[in-house]
Amino acid sequence: RSPVTVMASSTFPCPCVWMQHKSSYGSRSATHTLWKKQQQQQHDQMTPTKRHHKPHRQPKPDDASPTYPTSATDPGSVSTVATTHQRHKPPTALLQPREIIVACVPLKSNINLSGIARTASALGVKHLITSGTNRLIPKIARDAADDAVTSFQGANSIKHDNDSDENATPSPDWCKTHRTLFHPLRRLKDDGYRLVGLEQTANSQVLYDYKFVRKTVLVIGNEATGIPADILTLLDDVVEIPMYGMPHSLNVASSTAITLYEYCRQFPTG
């Protein structure tokens, strides 16, 4: 038997039903084809901007380059953010000189002292006081090394313990070197400066909670032994930088930079 006869006998019990179904299927198929043709004609008559899909992107010419705004108020700018960056800008002008002084006990490394000098000079610190036999390294201290001077005359330009501070040669220069810090700090304290040590002690305050005064002497301790006991007795306050991991300390030059910048943050105009 033919396939049609088999399908008619297995699916439809009566050949008349099968012929009726075939006729209705053919009419639906023709209607669907006509509907699709009408849809295509309508689609072809639509403009590209009204279609559901976007037209193909036109390639940019080879010489096309993006344009950037020249200023935040440029009416032709596509953005309000200026894209020009100036390197080596002039330093920020201060309304008044900074009154902070940095005083360092004898340090183990001249590299650390030179780094402190460079930071202090860049932040407009009033004076840098060093002690012991430390010397600045010009390649590291940069411009701060040009102002370095020893304020005492004598053998090796170092004041001996039996010398009096009154015999010291006064110097107007920015960096001064003393044999010890005890007498210079006591003299500054009598002049109205507040002595603040950077150290971890039983009563030290967190740096970011501490309120500096303008006339401050920041005392920096040795890398290994910190601030000596005789200097600690002179200090008015002690601040520390909170640590969050090993080895629970920072390099002395890095700690000094963080503390000085906190002072500058509290006194941005000097």
Side-chain angles (χ1 to χ4, degrees):
R1 295 185 296 177
S2 63
V4 177
T5 307
V6 174
M7 183 178 295
S9 61
S10 60
T11 307
F12 303 99
C14 178
C16 297
V17 177
W18 157 246
M19 295 304 296
Q20 182 180 2
H21 174 76
K22 183 178 179 182
S23 175
S24 61
Y25 176 81
S27 62
R28 287 199 304 269
S29 177
T31 303
H32 179 72
T33 303
L34 178 61
W35 176 82
K36 288 187 59 178
K37 186 175 180 180
Q38 293 174 352
Q39 290 293 324
Q40 184 65 36
Q41 291 176 355
Q42 294 177 4
H43 182 272
D44 295 339
Q45 293 174 359
M46 294 174 62
T47 58
T49 56
K50 294 182 179 180
R51 294 177 183 174
H52 295 291
H53 66 275
K54 295 181 179 180
H56 294 291
R57 183 177 181 181
Q58 298 296 328
K60 293 183 178 180
D62 296 336
D63 58 346
S65 58
T67 57
Y68 298 98
T70 57
S71 66
T73 59
D74 184 5
S77 301
V78 295
S79 174
T80 59
V81 180
T83 56
T84 56
H85 301 280
Q86 178 185 358
R87 296 185 69 244
H88 303 296
K89 291 179 58 178
T92 303
L94 298 176
L95 299 182
Q96 55 185 336
R98 296 201 189 279
E99 293 292 332
I100 186 170
I101 297 175
V102 176
C104 301
V105 306
L107 300 180
K108 295 173 56 178
S109 171
N110 289 332
I111 296 178
N112 287 333
L113 178 62
S114 301
I116 292 174
R118 176 175 179 174
T119 300
S121 177
L123 296 181
V125 170
K126 184 176 182 179
H127 288 298
L128 173 65
I129 300 176
T130 64
S131 59
T133 59
N134 290 126
R135 292 294 181 268
L136 297 183
I137 302 175
K139 188 175 181 180
I140 300 176
R142 305 289 289 272
D143 294 341
D146 298 336
D147 296 329
V149 66
T150 301
S151 61
F152 297 104
Q153 306 298 325
N156 299 324
S157 298
I158 297 297
K159 174 181 175 296
H160 298 283
D161 292 333
N162 56 354
D163 291 340
S164 172
D165 277 336
E166 286 72 15
N167 296 329
T169 303
S171 173
D173 293 324
W174 180 75
C175 180
K176 304 176 183 179
T177 299
H178 296 259
R179 178 66 179 86
T180 63
L181 283 184
F182 185 85
H183 296 293
L185 290 181
R186 187 178 61 181
R187 187 163 55 246
L188 288 170
K189 189 170 185 177
D190 294 338
D191 292 341
Y193 280 87
R194 191 167 189 85
L195 306 185
V196 180
L198 182 58
E199 182 66 277
Q200 292 176 329
T201 64
N203 297 318
S204 57
Q205 305 179 47
V206 176
L207 173 63
Y208 305 115
D209 297 332
Y210 182 76
K211 301 300 181 183
F212 284 97
V213 298
R214 290 194 70 252
K215 297 187 66 174
T216 295
V217 178
L218 180 62
V219 182
I220 307 300
N222 182 271
E223 296 95 326
T225 59
I227 299 177
D230 60 330
I231 303 298
L232 283 175
T233 59
L234 294 175
L235 301 181
D236 298 299
D237 300 302
V238 178
V239 297
E240 66 171 276
I241 302 172
M243 296 287 102
Y244 306 99
M246 296 296 292
H248 302 304
S249 65
L250 292 172
N251 173 268
V252 63
S254 302
S255 301
T256 304
I258 294 173
T259 308
L260 286 178
Y261 211 89
E262 174 61 20
Y263 174 91
C264 295
R265 189 191 65 82
Q266 296 184 21
F267 299 96
T269 59

